[in-house]
C-alpha cells in the first residue's frame, strides 16, 4: 500500500517527504513487530541491543563508552539500560582493575541463554520481512539505505 494511503494523506507529498515518511512508517511496523517478540522476555529493543553487543565481545568485558559507541540508537542512556539488565541478572558490572573510574560490563550465562532462546525467533522475524523481496532487491535496498544515510 502506498504511504499516502497508509497515513491517509489528503495533500500532495513531495518525493523527499514520501521517502522519509516511508522510512519512518516502515521502521515503526518492523519495530512494533520486534517489540512483540521481546515482550515475553521483559526486554526493550535497546536492552536487547546491549545484550547482543556484549555477546559479541566473546567473554571480554566492555566499558560504557564501547557499548554506547556500538548502540543502534546513539541517544540511549547506556547506564540506565545496564542498570536494568543488572537487575534482571543478565549482565555483571565490575570496577576495572586498571582504572578504578571505569566500569566493565559482561553478559551472564542467563543473558546468553535469553539470547540463545531469542535467536531463532529473531531470525524468523528478519526472514518474514526479507521474504517479500528477492535477494538482489535486498542487496539493492541495503545499498540504497546506506547511500541515503551517508
Amino acid at each position: 500500500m502506498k504511504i499516502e494511503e497508509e497515513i491517509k494523506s489528503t495533500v500532495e507529498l513531495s518525493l523527499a517527504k514520501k521517502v522519509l515518511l516511508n522510512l519512518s512508517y516502515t521502521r515503526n511496523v518492523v519495530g512494533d513487530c520486534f517489540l512483540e517478540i521481546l515482550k515475553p522476555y521483559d526486554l526493550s529493543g535497546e536492552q536487547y541491543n546491549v545484550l547482543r553487543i556484549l555477546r559479541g565481545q566473546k567473554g571480554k568485558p566492555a566499558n560504557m563508552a564501547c557499548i554506547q559507541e556500538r548502540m543502534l540508537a546513539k541517544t540511549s542512556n547506556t547506564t540506565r539500560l545496564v542498570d536494568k539488565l543488572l537487575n534482571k541478572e543478565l549482565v555483571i558490572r565490575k570496577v576495572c582493575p586498571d582504572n578504578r573510574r571505569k566500569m566493565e560490563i559482561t553478559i551472564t550465562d542467563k543473558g546468553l541463554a535469553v539470547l540463545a532462546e531469542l535467536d531463532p525467533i529473531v531470525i524468523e522475524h528478519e526472514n518474514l520481512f526479507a521474504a517479500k523481496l528477492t535477494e538482489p532487491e535486498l542487496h539493492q535496498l541495503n545499498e540504497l539505505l546506506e547511500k541515503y544515510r551517508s
Side-chain angles (χ1 to χ4, degrees), residues 57 60-67 79 92-106:
Q57 292 290 110
K60 217 176 104 189
N63 62 45
M64 294 295 206
C66 171
I67 294 170
T79 302
I92 297 169
R93 179 172 52 202
K94 293 182 182 173
V95 175
C96 174
D98 300 330
N99 181 350
R100 301 209 36 87
R101 291 177 292 162
K102 200 174 182 183
M103 300 304 286
E104 293 182 334
I105 316 302
T106 311

Side-chain angles (χ1 to χ4, degrees), residues 80-96:
R80 183 183 53 83
L81 292 171
V82 168
D83 286 345
K84 288 185 176 193
L85 293 170
L86 272 166
N87 290 336
K88 296 173 188 180
E89 301 176 343
L90 300 176
V91 300
I92 297 169
R93 179 172 52 202
K94 293 182 182 173
V95 175
C96 174

Side-chain angles (χ1 to χ4, degrees), residues 6-17:
E6 289 285 3
I7 65 170
K8 297 172 181 33
S9 177
T10 57
V11 296
E12 181 79 21
L13 301 173
S14 71
L15 186 56
K17 187 176 291 285

Side-chain angles (χ1 to χ4, degrees), residues 15-71:
L15 186 56
K17 187 176 291 285
K18 283 183 197 181
V19 170
L20 279 174
L21 288 172
N22 234 324
L23 281 170
S24 182
Y25 190 82
T26 303
R27 194 218 72 72
N28 287 333
V29 169
V30 174
D32 290 349
C33 199
F34 185 64
L35 290 178
E36 285 301 312
I37 291 169
L38 297 178
K39 192 183 281 186
Y41 298 87
D42 190 30
L43 289 174
S44 68
E46 292 86 0
Q47 290 170 359
Y48 175 77
N49 190 203
V50 170
L51 290 175
R52 293 275 315 262
I53 290 166
L54 293 173
R55 179 174 63 182
Q57 292 290 110
K58 299 181 182 354
K60 217 176 104 189
N63 62 45
M64 294 295 206
C66 171
I67 294 170
Q68 181 66 44
E69 182 180 283
R70 295 180 57 196
M71 291 291 292

Side-chain angles (χ1 to χ4, degrees), residues 2 4 11 22 44 50 65 72 95 114 120 124 127 132 138:
K2 293 189 177 288
E4 297 91 337
V11 296
N22 234 324
S44 68
V50 170
L72 291 175
V95 175
V114 167
E124 185 180 332
N127 290 338
K132 297 172 185 176
L138 287 169

